[in-house]
């Protein structure tokens, strides 16, 4: 980015009261499921029982591994159909649920069958559209033997299960009744947040109403059952503002209380607690909050009877909530948290306006604040509002396709907060919406880390701020604009796999690949570089609602030689994953817990917030999806590597901001270990909208932001930024050598933004690499030339291809200098590369911004110096 003015950002906190009803709409989608299924018996019958299978892949994947309670071991079959795995429960059982924890090689068609003798089988569940992950199946039936009978595989491999869990009752059962004896009974509380969240709402049987307290500790909610009642189970359905520490207390007189259960590690969601007592009054006594808000419960259910044991046990129902037992399996799914604001077509434009304004008023100028938000719109038509988008805010449609959500109104980014200068409009996004703008155009005046994906604009798209102040370049993908796209004052821009009516102009570097309607290549005048197709692309995974109102994540398929939008002929091709196959992480989660969830076979979704981690997150399973929403931010403490990915196929990482901690990390994100060698050509790992920050919010340090060791990786839109303004900024303060090092072969980068690193910003060691669009500024702050030397060479190139590389190609590269501490500093070259006919560069610009420093040559010793206050680019069209 081009501006170096220091900011004093206005800090604020969410106007929580304005959005409670919205969060209620979001959570209702799964709490209804919880309330209707919480009666399922909770006894796990299958663990450790005798098990057999039709086949095993090898000695390391026996049938016993599926019932050993270890989510790091698995059974896998031969690669043929059909296959089965069966467990002997030892006695006839009444069954309530079966939980299948699939490895990547799952069944698309299978049955759950029961038998009294292991010979004659009855089907109690069947499907032909399974999507794998963690599947929780409510079943009705009985038998001594239970088996999964698979008839169609999702992959070319066999069937593979981390765990095969059967729940139910042997003999007479638990004796715990199914009636909620608390429903409709008198309820009181220590406080209420407002008149709309009374204590009675937690026992009214309506999962769309809730009790919430004042923002203080401790708080309590108490229920009068009317008479002394034998109590066996309490089920708490938490809203996003849950308790981490609380007790279940009982009393005969509402004066003297006895604790029958307690925890200091509550995880929210739906918690099922087995507790033996006889009492008239039941109280939830809460002492520590998970958020800065109060406590909030959708429902409290109390069951009467004799419990199985006086201990907590996670419900195996389809409730999307984490386990309350730290030693047991972690459940998938869960609340998306209070900072995901969900809108419904029934809401008026005025209501929506007030709520989006509340977020924008906090986030408009809060460049380095802690707020993180998603504005999410359910499928339907909306009218009469202008959603202005500030920092760390994502506006998204929850349809499967952009046309599922129509906004007759505006989605706007402008730069009034910064006097009409948009060069610092970072960290915000728009996705999956159809916009019919009120003035005939949509304004999206952004710079780095502000993707515009899967957008359908019925009119023009203006990429400049009001008044046409400077903007520093951005990114569009998989979008359609019926009218003209006007970059105006944008210095550079990259558009991929889209459709536009026309393109108005360009300043220095406009790059297109796979764009219908793009202008022809004319570089350097006009400044267009156009590739007819994108050689390889995979769109970013995204959250949506299915026809039943359930949250799912859609994972688009790989495209080869892509051109135009992926949804031109209907739904984008790809795979849909239920939210229950994801560990839904929340701020405060540890790396150990996240790794446990990943080891179980869950995908990973980071809800909006800031995550301090004291260990490396390890992604070891092929095809794992790691999705952040609302600019979820990971800060590695104590110098750890934030995330490592194994050398496996098809991992997708998207929507995450890695923010270096105050102790130096050697790497923030590593794709593949250093000895990676496997080919992933058929199913590459991809990263999309993944951002890195060194300093700005605090004095961060990391030697390298991104290291790519695996082959065939797709790097689709990253911004790796060593901060030049904000907090913790200085040549010896926010230290960082390189932004990106690519060691893998056949790696493709589409939209590579890397800036201000102290040595080479990009180092490319792998063979067969390709980059479409590169944007860079050299570091602003070397104190003098002596501090910015590469041996005897003045400065470092922005983009370095190793001398050993014999094949490489790049299109549309811009390198700028702004040595504002010492404007006499020189950098010898913008690009440094071996001289080889198969190492080729196209459309390169170097620019000295206002004459603050000199770049002597564009590439190697070719291309004249970029210098002088006129800010005129020096260009090379093709090299060699």
């Amino acid at each position: 980015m081009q501006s170096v003015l220091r900011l004093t950002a206005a800090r604020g906190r969410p106007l929580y009261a304005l959005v409670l009803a919205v969060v209620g709409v979001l959570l209702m989608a799964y709490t209804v499921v919880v309330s209707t299924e919480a009666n399922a018996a909770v006894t796990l019958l299958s663990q450790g029982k005798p098990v057999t299978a039709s086949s095993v892949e090898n000695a390391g994947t026996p049938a016993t591994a599926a019932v050993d309670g270890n989510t790091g071991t698995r059974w896998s079959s031969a690669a043929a159909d059909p296959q089965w795995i069966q467990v002997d429960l030892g006695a006839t059982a009444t069954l309530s649920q079966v939980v299948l924890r699939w490895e990547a090689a799952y069944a698309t068609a299978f049955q759950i069958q029961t038998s009294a003798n292991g010979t004659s089988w009855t089907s109690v569940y069947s499907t032909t559209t399974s999507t794998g992950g963690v599947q929780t199946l409510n079943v009705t039936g009985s038998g001594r033997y239970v088996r999964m009978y698979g008839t169609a595989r999702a992959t070319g491999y066999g069937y593979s299960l981390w765990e095969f869990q059967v729940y139910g009752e042997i003999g007479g059962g638990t004796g715990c009744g199914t009636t909620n004896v608390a429903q409709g009974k008198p309820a009181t509380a220590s406080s209420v947040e407002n008149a709309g969240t009374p204590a009675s709402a937690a026992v009214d049987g309506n999962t769309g109403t809730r009790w919430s307290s004042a923002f203080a500790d401790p708080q309590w909610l108490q229920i009068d059952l009317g008479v002394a009642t034998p109590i066996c189970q309490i089920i708490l359905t938490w809203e996003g503002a849950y308790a981490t520490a609380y007790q279940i207390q009982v009393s005969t007189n509402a004066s003297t209380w006895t604790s029958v259960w307690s925890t200091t590690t509550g995880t929210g969601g739906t918690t099922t607690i087995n507790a033996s007592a006889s009492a008239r009054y039941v109280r939830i006594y809460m002492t520590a909050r998970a958020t800065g808000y109060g406590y909030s419960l959708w429902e409290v259910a109390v069951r009467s009877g004799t419990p199985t044991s006086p201990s907590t046990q996670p419900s195996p129902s389809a409730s999307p909530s984490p386990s309350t037992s730290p030693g047991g399996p972690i459940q998938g799914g869960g609340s998306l948290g209070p900072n995901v604001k969900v809108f419904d077509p029934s809401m008026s434009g005025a209501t929506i306006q007030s709520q989006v304004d509340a977020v924008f008023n906090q986030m408009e100028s809060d460049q380095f604040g802690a707020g993180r938000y998603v504005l999410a719109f359910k499928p339907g038509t909306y009218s009469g509002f202008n959603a202005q988008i500030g920092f760390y805010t994502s506006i998204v449609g929850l349809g499967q396709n952009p046309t599922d959500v129509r906004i007759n109104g505006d989605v706007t980014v402008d730069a009034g907060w910064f006097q009409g200068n948009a060069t610092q409009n970072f960290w915000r996004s728009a996705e999956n919406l159809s916009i019919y703008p009120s003035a005939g155009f949509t304004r999206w005046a952004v710079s780095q880390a502000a993707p515009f994906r899967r957008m359908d604009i019925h009119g023009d798209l203006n990429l400049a701020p009001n008044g046409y102040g400077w903007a520093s370049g951005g990114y569009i993908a998989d979008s359609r604009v019926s009218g003209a796209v006007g970059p105006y004052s944008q210095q550079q821009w990259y558009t991929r796999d889209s459709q536009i009516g026309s393109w108005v102009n360009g300043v220095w570097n406009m790059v297109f690949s796979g764009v219908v309607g793009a202008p022809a290549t004319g570089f350097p005048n006009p400044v267009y570089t156009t590739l007819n197709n994108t050689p390889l692309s995979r769109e970013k995974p995204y959250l949506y609602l299915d026809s039943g109102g359930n949250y799912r994540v859609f994972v688009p398929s790989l495209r080869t030689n892509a051109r135009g939008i992926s949804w031109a002929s209907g739904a984008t091709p790809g795979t849909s994953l239920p939210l229950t196959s994801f560990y839904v992480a929340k701020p405060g989660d540890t790396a150990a817990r996240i790794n446990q969830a990943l080891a179980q076979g869950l995908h990973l979704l980071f809800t909006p917030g800031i995550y301090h981690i004291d260990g490396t997150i390890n992604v070891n399973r092929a095809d794992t999806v790691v999705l952040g929403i609302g600019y979820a931010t990971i800060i590695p403490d104590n110098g750890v590597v934030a995330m490592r990915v194994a050398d496996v196929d098809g991992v997708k990482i998207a929507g995450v901001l890695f923010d270096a901690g105050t102790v130096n990390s050697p790497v923030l994100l590593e794709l593949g270990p250093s000895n990676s060698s496997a080919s992933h050509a058929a199913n590459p790992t991809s990263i999309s909208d993944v951002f890195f920050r060194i300093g700005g919010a605090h004095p961060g340090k990391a030697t390298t932001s991104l290291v790519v060791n695996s082959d065939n990786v797709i790097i689709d839109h990253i911004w790796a930024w060593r901060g030049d303004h904000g907090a913790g900024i200085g040549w010896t303060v926010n230290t960082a050598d390189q932004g990106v090092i690519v060691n893998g072969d056949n790696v493709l980068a589409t939209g590579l933004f890397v800036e201000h690193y102290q040595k080479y910003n990009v180092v490319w060691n792998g063979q067969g690499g390709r980059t479409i669009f590169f944007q860079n500024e050299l570091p602003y702050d070397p104190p003098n030339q002596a501090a910015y030397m590469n041996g005897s060479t003045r400065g470092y190139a922005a983009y370095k291809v190793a001398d050993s590389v014999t094949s490489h190609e790049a299109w549309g590269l811009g390198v700028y200098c702004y040595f504002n501490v010492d404007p006499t500093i020189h950098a010898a070259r913008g690009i440094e590369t071996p001289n080889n006919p198969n190492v080729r560069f196209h459309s390169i610009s170097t620019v000295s911004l206002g004459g603050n420093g000199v770049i002597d040559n564009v590439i190697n010793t070719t291309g004249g110096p970029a210098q002088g206050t006129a800010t005129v680019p020096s260009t090379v069209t093709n090299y060699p």
Side-chain angles (χ1 to χ4, degrees), residues 173-195:
T174 66
C176 195
T178 60
T179 302
N180 178 10
V181 296
Q183 188 167 320
K185 298 296 172 63
T188 54
S190 52
S191 66
V192 295
E193 184 181 8
N194 56 58

Side-chain angles (χ1 to χ4, degrees), residues 399-758:
Q400 188 169 350
N401 299 298
T403 53
D404 293 339
V405 178
R406 172 172 173 158
I407 294 178
N408 298 317
D410 297 290
V411 171
T412 302
V413 175
D414 207 342
W417 75 278
F418 202 45
Q419 296 77 53
N421 183 340
T423 59
Q424 291 185 19
N425 276 357
F426 314 137
W427 302 308
R428 63 199 75 198
S429 66
E431 182 174 11
N432 214 29
L433 297 165
S434 184
I435 309 294
Y436 291 74
S438 60
F441 71 93
T442 293
R443 187 184 302 280
W444 188 254
V446 299
S447 289
Q448 291 78 15
F452 198 77
R453 287 184 180 267
R454 295 177 60 79
M455 295 293 287
D456 186 20
I457 305 301
H458 292 259
D460 296 336
L461 179 61
N462 187 332
L463 303 177
N466 187 28
Y468 300 97
W470 282 114
S472 185
Y475 173 91
I476 294 172
D478 202 20
S479 294
R480 180 172 63 189
V481 179
S482 67
V485 180
Y488 302 112
S489 54
Q490 284 284 356
Q491 295 156 350
Q492 62 271 317
W493 197 277
Y494 176 48
T495 307
R496 178 182 64 71
D497 299 356
S498 294
Q499 179 179 331
I500 61 176
S502 62
W503 191 271
V504 172
N505 75 311
V507 176
W508 292 329
N509 187 31
M510 303 284 140
V511 180
F512 310 84
S513 68
V515 178
V516 177
T521 295
F523 189 90
N525 185 24
V527 293
Y528 303 142
T529 303
T530 300
L531 286 72
N532 194 55
N533 303 90
T534 304
L536 205 63
S537 62
R538 179 192 283 135
E539 300 304 331
K540 170 184 169 290
Y542 59 91
L543 192 71
Y544 78 104
L545 287 169
D546 66 18
S547 59
N550 302 303
Y551 283 95
R552 303 181 72 89
V553 172
F554 195 81
V555 184
S557 297
L558 191 68
R559 301 177 74 190
T560 302
N561 293 321
R563 180 171 173 80
I565 55 178
S566 68
W567 40 278
S569 301
T572 297
T575 302
S576 177
L577 302 173
L579 190 62
T580 51
S581 69
F582 284 77
Y583 177 62
V584 179
K586 296 177 176 62
D589 278 338
T590 64
R593 182 169 178 82
I594 291 169
N595 285 332
Q596 181 186 353
L598 289 168
Q600 286 180 197
L602 292 172
H603 302 283
L604 179 58
L605 187 145
F606 289 100
T607 59
I610 296 175
Y611 297 75
H612 282 270
I613 58 169
D614 58 1
T616 300
I617 297 171
N618 295 304
V619 182
N620 296 323
R621 181 173 55 88
D623 295 307
T624 298
V625 176
V626 177
L627 176 62
I629 59 175
Y631 285 83
T633 302
I634 299 173
I635 301 177
D637 294 328
N638 303 318
V640 301
V641 175
M643 185 178 292
R644 285 191 169 105
V645 178
D647 191 27
V648 296
D649 278 356
V651 172
K652 296 94 179 170
I653 302 174
V656 178
L657 169 59
F658 293 95
D659 197 356
T662 56
V663 178
N664 187 74
S665 292
V667 180
L668 294 179
L669 173 61
E670 182 181 63
L671 303 179
S674 59
N675 60 349
S676 296
S677 59
S679 172
H680 308 291
N683 186 13
T685 283
S686 57
I687 63 174
S688 308
D689 300 346
V690 172
F691 308 123
F692 305 88
R693 183 167 69 191
I694 317 291
H698 52 260
K701 302 174 186 288
T703 304
T704 305
S705 292
L706 171 65
V707 174
V708 180
N709 293 316
S710 288
D711 294 344
N712 311 107
V713 169
I714 300 172
I715 304 171
D716 180 41
H717 189 224
I718 70 165
W719 185 36
W721 183 64
R722 176 180 168 263
D724 59 85
H725 65 273
I729 300 299
W731 188 249
T732 60
V733 180
N734 60 323
T735 54
D737 286 354
Q738 300 94 13
V740 177
I741 297 177
V742 178
N743 297 318
D745 294 340
N746 303 311
V747 171
L748 171 66
T750 53
L752 190 61
F753 298 72
V754 187
E755 302 194 277
H756 308 313
Y757 288 82
Q758 294 173 291

Side-chain angles (χ1 to χ4, degrees), residues 334-369:
S335 164
L336 298 178
N339 286 2
V340 177
K341 316 299 183 185
V342 181
F343 300 91
D344 186 275
S346 64
M347 300 172 71
S348 69
T351 299
I352 296 171
Q353 189 70 65
S354 68
Q355 297 189 20
V356 299
D357 282 353
V359 173
F360 180 69
N361 290 340
Q362 178 194 348
M363 304 310 300
E364 179 184 12
S365 60
D366 203 11
Q367 184 172 179
F368 298 111

Side-chain angles (χ1 to χ4, degrees), residues 314-325:
S315 168
S317 75
S319 72
S321 61
S323 166
T324 60
S325 171

Side-chain angles (χ1 to χ4, degrees), residues 199-215:
S200 59
V203 293
D204 62 0
N206 182 348
T207 55
T209 63
R210 64 187 179 87
W211 162 74
S212 61
S213 76
F215 301 1

Side-chain angles (χ1 to χ4, degrees), residues 109-121:
F110 66 90
Q111 299 177 47
I112 301 299
Q113 300 175 330
T114 64
S115 175
N117 53 19
T119 303
S120 301
W121 295 93

Side-chain angles (χ1 to χ4, degrees), residues 157-183:
Y157 308 113
Y159 300 88
S160 184
L161 282 164
W162 295 106
E163 284 292 296
F164 177 32
Q165 297 172 309
V166 179
Y167 292 86
E169 302 175 7
I170 298 289
T174 66
C176 195
T178 60
T179 302
N180 178 10
V181 296
Q183 188 167 320

